[in-house]
Amino acid sequence: MLNKEVKRVSLVGVGPGDEKLLTLKALECIENADVLVYDNLINPTILNKAKLTAKLIYAGKISGDHYLTQDEINKTIVEHAGTGEYVVRLKGGDPYIFGRGGEEAQYLIERNIDFEIVHGVSSFYAGLGYAGIPVTFRGEATSFHVFTGHKKKGEVLDLDFKNIVKLDGSLVFLMGISNLSVIVNGLLSNGMNPFTKAAVVENGTRYNQRVFRGELGNMEEIAKKENIVSPALIVVGDVCKKNLSFFNKYRLPLSGKNILLTATRLLAEKMTPRFKEAGANICEMSLIATKGIEIGKDRLECELNNSTHILFTSSNGVNIFFEQIKKYGIDIRSLYNKKICVIGSGSGEALNKYGVNPDFIPSRFDSKSFLDEILPQLDKSSKVLMLRAKLGSDVLPKGLKSAGICFSDIPIYDTVIDYRKKFELNRNIESFDYVVVASASAAKALVEMIEDNSVLNGRVVSIGPVTTKALLKSNIEKIITAKQYDVEGIIDAIKKL
Ligand code: SAH
């Protein structure tokens, strides 16, 4: 755990894009941050790991213009650190490799603000590695040299090509795409062989990575033809003869699909592995969050004592219930004679984690099927304790009431819209092929925060009819609804598109 008293700022490298390349230390910083200042190359999934109360400040560029100048970024960091907040500045790759991390550190030193550097995996070798090109290889390159291919606005690139061509190792250029012609001509005009192997790696380590191999003499032509965009790495040297590809090697049903998951953090983290197994790229951006509602020890004990059946409608409810009984010191054996009912497999799995097997799961995971199938098992002596979301649908209470079954409907958590995500949502929305909405509350949050509904047309995949109904309140067209109301159903629905 970081000592907040000492480290007021962490300048953290988050790697080149694949969020799994985040270091444990970086993750710890992100989870503890009060303020996160991030750039446009940061994978939004990383931001999802932040505390619910953390401030998210975008310092990247919007359509070519600096959103915050470097000076403004420095001031923002200092301002927040000055109020005692723990500031985490996220930077792509490693903070000390062309990321202006050094300048930020210097600014903090000058103001006597304690900071640390958390190194990250740099794109210059990981991006190449994911493209199948090792930055060194015995017999091909015994050294590597990394250059910036970019100068301050208005300044020309003045690399010392005369000496660069004499270097006997891999040459890697960062930020060089807009200056590709200067780089190629600089090398050629100083005598480098035009047949020297070269490659460009665009969006290295990301789902949309593209790799172009060629020779120094035809790299410009390839870049133009393929419309290569930033971020990209240019590599020149014999290591480009190697093709050690492993990344994105196999085509899976959802390969190449970029999917936004809007569910709560817990649910998103649970669903993500399944999407990844199917080949999809997943961005976890929780538009909603759950907040537990304190029931109080006496009341919870009393409700438990009186009930014959306990019903959980979501895994959130299950987790919050177990947190509460632990906190209140209620013995788990107080559940021994209760029939535990769930509506979906998610809640069932959540229960399993606590060593409890549900006694009842309906054949279809919706409230109506639940009622149809549970009612024959209930009678006048039953008392159902429903532990669920505040403002849950009225299908269950209505159904139990009209069947004359005694019940208690206790809100155990509330779902709130995470308005901090509004900017990121709108900034990135067009890059997603599909937006997965797995609950009516996520639907409400999406509709509330999206600035232009029309970008969602034909892209929204809903977990089931209740969620679709919530989405239909806005003018979103061509909503895709899963036939089976769980992650498998969603994956199936996308596969069929
Ligand atoms: N600190 C970063 C580099 C910052 S400079 C690092 O250590 O990786 C930004 C440049 O890095 C981009 O213009 C591009 O050349 C390179 N870059 C960063 N991420 C990249 C990625 N995923 N794929 C290809 N190039 C990348």
Side-chain angles (χ1 to χ4, degrees), residues 151-179:
K151 274 276 170 156
K152 278 189 193 161
K153 231 183 181 162
E155 289 180 27
V156 280
L157 187 65
D158 56 353
L159 292 174
D160 180 6
F161 288 110
K162 205 166 139 216
N163 281 313
I164 292 176
V165 294
K166 291 186 198 143
L167 295 168
D168 182 23
S170 314
L171 308 179
V172 188
F173 298 87
L174 272 67
M175 299 185 279
I177 276 303
S178 55
N179 275 325

Coordinates of all heavy atoms in Angstrom, one line a residue, residues 151-179:
K151 N 9.6 16.5 -33.7 CA 10.1 17.7 -33.0 C 9.0 18.6 -32.5 O 7.8 18.4 -32.9 CB 11.0 18.5 -34.0 CG 12.4 17.9 -34.0 CD 13.2 18.5 -32.9 CE 14.5 17.9 -32.7 NZ 15.5 18.8 -32.1
K152 N 9.3 19.6 -31.8 CA 8.3 20.5 -31.4 C 7.6 21.1 -32.6 O 8.3 21.2 -33.7 CB 8.9 21.7 -30.6 CG 9.1 21.4 -29.1 CD 9.5 22.6 -28.4 CE 10.1 22.3 -27.0 NZ 10.9 23.4 -26.5
K153 N 6.4 21.6 -32.5 CA 5.6 22.1 -33.6 C 6.5 23.2 -34.3 O 7.1 24.0 -33.6 CB 4.3 22.8 -33.1 CG 3.1 22.3 -33.9 CD 1.9 23.0 -33.4 CE 0.7 22.4 -34.2 NZ -0.6 22.7 -33.5
G154 N 6.6 23.1 -35.6 CA 7.3 24.1 -36.4 C 8.8 23.8 -36.5 O 9.4 24.4 -37.4
E155 N 9.3 22.9 -35.7 CA 10.8 22.6 -35.9 C 11.0 21.4 -36.8 O 10.1 20.5 -36.8 CB 11.4 22.3 -34.5 CG 11.5 23.5 -33.6 CD 12.1 23.1 -32.2 OE1 12.8 22.2 -32.1 OE2 11.8 23.9 -31.3
V156 N 12.1 21.4 -37.6 CA 12.3 20.3 -38.4 C 13.1 19.2 -37.7 O 13.9 19.5 -36.8 CB 13.1 20.7 -39.7 CG1 12.2 21.3 -40.8 CG2 14.3 21.5 -39.4
L157 N 12.8 18.0 -38.2 CA 13.5 16.8 -37.5 C 15.0 16.8 -38.0 O 15.3 16.8 -39.2 CB 12.8 15.5 -38.0 CG 13.3 14.2 -37.4 CD1 12.9 14.2 -35.9 CD2 12.6 13.0 -38.1
D158 N 15.9 16.9 -37.0 CA 17.3 17.1 -37.4 C 18.1 15.9 -36.8 O 19.1 16.2 -36.0 CB 17.8 18.4 -37.0 CG 17.6 18.7 -35.5 OD1 16.9 17.8 -34.8 OD2 18.1 19.7 -34.9
L159 N 17.7 14.7 -37.0 CA 18.5 13.6 -36.5 C 19.8 13.5 -37.2 O 19.9 13.9 -38.4 CB 17.7 12.3 -36.6 CG 16.4 12.1 -35.8 CD1 15.6 10.9 -36.2 CD2 16.8 12.1 -34.3
D160 N 20.8 13.0 -36.5 CA 22.2 12.9 -37.0 C 22.3 11.6 -37.9 O 22.9 10.7 -37.5 CB 23.1 12.9 -35.9 CG 24.6 12.8 -36.3 OD1 24.8 12.9 -37.5 OD2 25.5 12.6 -35.4
F161 N 21.6 11.7 -39.1 CA 21.5 10.5 -39.9 C 22.9 10.0 -40.4 O 23.1 8.8 -40.5 CB 20.6 10.7 -41.1 CG 19.2 10.8 -40.8 CD1 18.5 12.0 -40.8 CD2 18.5 9.7 -40.3 CE1 17.2 12.1 -40.5 CE2 17.2 9.8 -40.0 CZ 16.5 11.0 -40.0
K162 N 23.9 10.9 -40.5 CA 25.2 10.5 -40.9 C 25.8 9.5 -40.0 O 26.4 8.5 -40.4 CB 26.1 11.8 -40.9 CG 27.2 11.7 -41.8 CD 27.8 13.1 -42.1 CE 29.3 12.9 -42.1 NZ 30.0 14.0 -41.4
N163 N 25.6 9.7 -38.7 CA 26.1 8.7 -37.7 C 25.1 7.6 -37.4 O 25.5 6.5 -37.1 CB 26.5 9.5 -36.4 CG 27.8 10.2 -36.5 OD1 28.8 9.6 -37.0 ND2 27.8 11.5 -36.2
I164 N 23.8 7.9 -37.6 CA 22.8 6.8 -37.3 C 23.1 5.7 -38.3 O 23.0 4.5 -37.9 CB 21.4 7.4 -37.5 CG1 21.1 8.4 -36.3 CG2 20.4 6.3 -37.4 CD1 19.8 9.1 -36.4
V165 N 23.4 6.0 -39.6 CA 23.5 4.8 -40.5 C 24.7 4.0 -40.2 O 24.8 2.8 -40.6 CB 23.6 5.3 -42.0 CG1 22.3 6.0 -42.5 CG2 24.8 6.3 -42.2
K166 N 25.6 4.5 -39.4 CA 26.8 3.7 -39.0 C 26.5 2.8 -37.9 O 27.3 1.9 -37.5 CB 28.0 4.7 -38.6 CG 28.5 5.5 -39.8 CD 29.7 6.3 -39.3 CE 30.1 7.4 -40.2 NZ 30.5 8.6 -39.6
L167 N 25.4 3.0 -37.2 CA 25.1 2.2 -36.0 C 24.8 0.7 -36.5 O 24.1 0.5 -37.5 CB 23.9 2.7 -35.3 CG 24.1 4.1 -34.6 CD1 22.8 4.7 -34.2 CD2 25.1 4.0 -33.5
D168 N 25.3 -0.2 -35.7 CA 25.1 -1.6 -36.1 C 24.1 -2.2 -35.2 O 24.4 -2.9 -34.3 CB 26.5 -2.3 -36.0 CG 26.4 -3.8 -36.4 OD1 25.4 -4.1 -37.2 OD2 27.2 -4.6 -36.0
G169 N 22.8 -1.9 -35.4 CA 21.8 -2.4 -34.5 C 20.4 -2.0 -35.0 O 20.3 -1.4 -36.1
S170 N 19.4 -2.4 -34.3 CA 18.0 -2.1 -34.7 C 17.8 -0.6 -34.5 O 18.1 -0.1 -33.4 CB 17.0 -2.9 -33.9 OG 17.4 -4.3 -33.8
L171 N 17.1 0.0 -35.4 CA 16.8 1.5 -35.3 C 15.3 1.6 -35.1 O 14.5 1.1 -36.0 CB 17.2 2.2 -36.5 CG 18.7 2.1 -37.0 CD1 18.9 2.9 -38.2 CD2 19.6 2.5 -35.9
V172 N 14.9 2.2 -34.0 CA 13.4 2.3 -33.8 C 13.1 3.8 -33.7 O 13.7 4.5 -33.0 CB 13.0 1.6 -32.5 CG1 11.5 1.5 -32.4 CG2 13.6 0.1 -32.4
F173 N 12.1 4.2 -34.4 CA 11.6 5.6 -34.4 C 10.2 5.7 -33.8 O 9.3 5.0 -34.3 CB 11.7 6.2 -35.8 CG 13.1 6.2 -36.4 CD1 13.5 5.0 -37.1 CD2 13.9 7.2 -36.3 CE1 14.8 5.0 -37.7 CE2 15.2 7.2 -36.8 CZ 15.6 6.1 -37.5
L174 N 10.1 6.5 -32.8 CA 8.8 6.7 -32.2 C 8.2 8.0 -32.7 O 9.0 8.9 -33.1 CB 8.8 6.7 -30.7 CG 8.7 5.4 -30.0 CD1 9.9 4.5 -30.3 CD2 8.6 5.6 -28.5
M175 N 7.0 8.2 -32.7 CA 6.3 9.4 -33.2 C 6.8 9.8 -34.6 O 7.0 11.0 -34.9 CB 6.6 10.6 -32.2 CG 6.1 10.3 -30.8 SD 6.4 11.7 -29.7 CE 8.1 11.5 -29.3
G176 N 7.1 8.9 -35.4 CA 7.7 9.2 -36.7 C 6.9 9.1 -37.9 O 7.3 9.4 -39.0
I177 N 5.6 8.7 -37.8 CA 4.8 8.5 -39.0 C 4.7 9.8 -39.8 O 4.8 9.7 -41.0 CB 3.5 7.9 -38.6 CG1 3.6 6.4 -38.5 CG2 2.3 8.2 -39.6 CD1 4.2 5.7 -39.7
S178 N 4.5 10.9 -39.2 CA 4.3 12.1 -40.0 C 5.6 12.5 -40.6 O 5.7 13.3 -41.6 CB 3.7 13.2 -39.2 OG 4.4 13.4 -38.1
N179 N 6.7 12.0 -40.1 CA 8.1 12.3 -40.6 C 8.7 11.2 -41.3 O 9.9 11.1 -41.5 CB 9.0 12.8 -39.5 CG 8.8 14.3 -39.2 OD1 8.5 15.1 -40.1 ND2 8.9 14.7 -38.0

